[in-house]
Amino acid sequence: MKPYLLPVLPILTMATASASWLDGDYLTGDWNGKRTEWANSGVSFFGYYNAIGAANVSGGIESDSSYAGDLFIGAKFDLEKLLGWDSTVFTLSGIDRHGRSIDPAVGGQYSVMQLVGGQNAFLYEVNLEKKFLDDTLAVKLGRLSATDDFVGSPYYSYSLNNAVNGQIRAVLFDGVMTSYPFPVWGGRVKYQPNEEFYVSLGAYQLSDDIFDRDDQGVDFRIDGDDGLSVFTQVGWSPKFCQRPANFFIGMNNAFYRMEEFNTDDTSNHFVRFYAHADYQVYAEDAPGEEGLVAFLTLAYTRQEEIAIIPFQTTLGLHYRGLFPGRNNDRTVFFATFGQFSDDYADERIAAGEGEPDYELVLELGHRFEVTKFAYIQPDLQYIIRPGGTGDVDNALVA
C-alpha cells in the first residue's frame, strides 16, 4: 500500500491548504500568521482591487468598450496598542486608478463606470481619529474627503453607475463636496450615544484644483481664497417588526465663490439638502440578514443658478440570498432620476447643445460571492435620455 499512499499524502495536504485559503478572509492569506501578529500588536493592513469592464452595446452616441481599475491600499495603526494613546487610530492609505470610461460614447450626465475619475496614483488618507466619552464622541482630522463620512450608505456600493455609488451624486456635481480619491484638509466630529442614533459635523477645504488628478494628493497648500464645505448629518437606525431600518438627513453649506450659469455673476454660499431611508421589507428568517431591503434617496437645492441637477432621487432594491445555497450573493436594482436645472438648460441652449430636461438611469445586477475576498458582478444599465436633451438615443450598457 505504501507506493500508493506516499504520492497521495502531498496532494491531500495541498488540497487542505487550498481549501483553507479559499475559506479565508484575505486573498493573500495570513502571511504565516504575521498578519494576525501585527494586528494584535496594533498594525492592520488592508487592500482592495475593483475593476469594471463595460461596453455600450446599443444607443448612446457610438459603440465603445473599455476597462478601468481601482487599487486601494493602506494601514491602520492602533496607537493605544503602539503608544498607549487611548482610543486613537492613525490611517495611511493610497490609491491607483487606471483605465478609461466609455462615458463619452454614452453621452450621459452620470458615469456608467464609477471607478473612473482621477486616473492616477494618489496619496489619500493621512489622518488621526480619537474617541472620547467612553467612545461615544469621535474626532477625525487630517487628509480625507467628505464622502468618507457623509451622504453614503453601504447599499450604494453595489451600483456600478456613479449616480449613487459612493454618495448621492447630485451632491457632488457642483464642485462643493470633496470625494474619493481626491483628499483635502478637513475634519469630522461624530457623536453616537447608542447604536440607534448619531449626529455628525464635518468641515472640508474647497479649492479650484481639488479635483486635479496631477496633484496626486500631495498638494498640501491652504490658500487664502480657498473655501469651506460644512456638512451636518443626523442618523437613526431603529427596528420595526424586528427588521432593521436606517434613516439619515443632512445638509451641505458651501462657502466659496461659485459661478452662476449663463451669466457673469457669482455666489458665495450654496446649500443642498439630502436624505436617505432604507428598510428590510422582507426577511427570510426574522431577525436575519437574508431578504429584501428597499431604499430611497433624495437630494435638493433651490439654487438652480449653480446646481447642474438640483433634484435627484434613487429607488433601490437589494436582495441578499435570493437563490438557494447562495446566501451571500446580492441581487440589486437601482432607478435614478436626475432633473436638470432651468438655468443650466438655458446655458446649454445658448451654446447650441440642446435643452437638457432629465436623465433616468436603470440598473440591474447580481453579485456572486466567489470567496469571502472575491466577487464577480454581471450588470446591465439602461440610460434614458443620456445628457437629458432627448437628442441622444437611449443607451444599453453591459
Side-chain angles (χ1 to χ4, degrees):
M1 296 293 293
K2 287 182 179 179
Y4 300 96
L5 285 175
L6 286 174
V8 170
L9 286 172
I11 295 173
L12 291 174
T13 302
M14 291 174 62
T16 301
S18 176
S20 177
W21 170 67
L22 287 173
D23 290 336
D25 294 325
Y26 308 106
L27 172 67
T28 57
D30 197 37
W31 309 338
N32 291 322
K34 285 295 183 182
R35 182 196 291 268
T36 299
E37 180 182 330
W38 286 336
N40 289 337
S41 66
V43 182
S44 299
F45 298 94
F46 59 87
Y48 304 91
Y49 184 76
N50 287 278
I52 298 176
N56 182 27
V57 296
S58 175
I61 296 174
E62 60 182 354
S63 297
D64 192 15
S65 61
S66 189
Y67 166 93
D70 181 288
L71 175 65
F72 178 39
I73 58 173
K76 291 184 178 291
F77 301 87
D78 186 333
L79 300 187
E80 183 171 354
K81 293 179 179 179
L82 293 169
L83 301 175
W85 297 0
D86 291 346
S87 303
T88 307
V89 175
F90 175 73
T91 303
L92 179 68
S93 68
I95 299 162
D96 181 79
R97 280 192 159 185
H98 45 276
R100 68 173 183 87
S101 178
I102 62 171
D103 289 338
V106 175
Q109 178 67 31
Y110 298 103
S111 174
V112 298
M113 298 171 67
Q114 61 87 13
L115 295 179
V116 176
Q119 308 310 95
N120 207 334
F122 290 85
L123 175 66
Y124 188 55
E125 294 167 293
V126 186
N127 59 64
L128 194 71
E129 183 169 17
K130 166 74 174 175
K131 293 183 178 180
F132 305 89
L133 303 177
D134 295 326
D135 292 348
T136 61
L137 180 68
V139 179
K140 182 163 63 173
L141 298 169
R143 299 284 289 178
L144 65 170
S145 77
T147 54
D148 294 339
D149 294 288
F150 294 92
V151 204
S153 164
Y155 295 112
Y156 302 171
S157 65
Y158 293 86
S159 173
L160 304 192
N161 190 295
N162 82 352
V164 74
N165 184 292
Q167 68 286 311
I168 303 169
R169 186 66 180 180
V171 184
L172 180 63
F173 271 138
D174 311 303
V176 293
M177 181 180 187
T178 58
S179 170
Y180 176 102
F182 303 96
V184 295
W185 290 110
R188 183 267 293 145
V189 178
K190 182 177 183 180
Y191 177 62
Q192 186 166 5
N194 53 55
E195 292 184 358
E196 286 194 3
F197 174 82
Y198 73 85
V199 58
S200 292
L201 176 67
Y204 304 88
Q205 174 191 18
L206 292 177
S207 68
D208 288 340
D209 56 358
I210 58 173
F211 298 118
D212 187 348
R213 66 182 184 180
D214 294 330
D215 286 341
Q216 297 185 275
V218 295
D219 183 358
F220 298 148
R221 293 175 301 170
I222 299 177
D223 295 329
D225 58 352
D226 285 351
L228 194 66
S229 176
V230 179
F231 279 86
T232 308
Q233 184 169 306
V234 178
W236 181 43
S237 300
K239 286 188 176 181
F240 301 115
C241 301
Q242 294 187 305
R243 296 195 294 270
N246 296 281
F247 305 92
F248 65 74
I249 58 173
M251 174 175 61
N252 178 25
N253 279 272
F255 303 93
Y256 192 51
R257 184 182 59 82
M258 290 156 283
E259 296 181 357
E260 299 181 2
F261 297 125
N262 209 32
T263 177
D264 293 330
D265 294 339
T266 60
S267 293
N268 296 316
H269 183 212
F270 177 79
V271 181
R272 186 186 287 273
F273 301 92
Y274 60 89
H276 165 98
D278 68 66
Y279 179 59
Q280 188 183 44
V281 296
Y282 170 72
E284 294 188 3
D285 295 302
E289 294 184 353
E290 294 172 41
L292 177 65
V293 172
F295 72 83
L296 181 70
T297 74
L298 294 171
Y300 171 75
T301 179
R302 65 180 181 84
Q303 293 178 258
E304 296 199 14
E305 69 277 10
I306 298 173
I308 296 175
I309 293 184
F311 176 78
Q312 175 183 320
T313 183
T314 297
L315 170 67
L317 299 175
H318 181 111
Y319 201 114
R320 177 172 176 173
L322 179 62
F323 301 114
R326 303 293 307 176
N327 297 340
N328 291 318
D329 285 4
R330 316 290 180 127
T331 307
V332 295
F333 171 79
F334 305 87
T336 297
F337 173 86
Q339 179 74 52
F340 289 90
S341 82
D342 292 338
D343 293 292
Y344 174 75
D346 290 342
E347 184 172 270
R348 297 298 92 199
I349 293 170
E353 298 177 359
E355 184 178 358
D357 183 9
Y358 72 89
E359 183 172 317
L360 179 62
V361 178
L362 305 178
E363 181 177 3
L364 178 66
H366 184 86
R367 180 173 294 193
F368 295 92
E369 183 185 83
V370 181
T371 69
K372 292 180 181 179
F373 53 78
Y375 68 85
I376 184 170
Q377 180 174 326
D379 191 86
L380 285 174
Q381 300 175 39
Y382 190 61
I383 296 87
I384 299 172
R385 295 177 65 92
T389 62
D391 297 333
V392 179
D393 291 339
N394 297 344
L396 178 64
V397 173

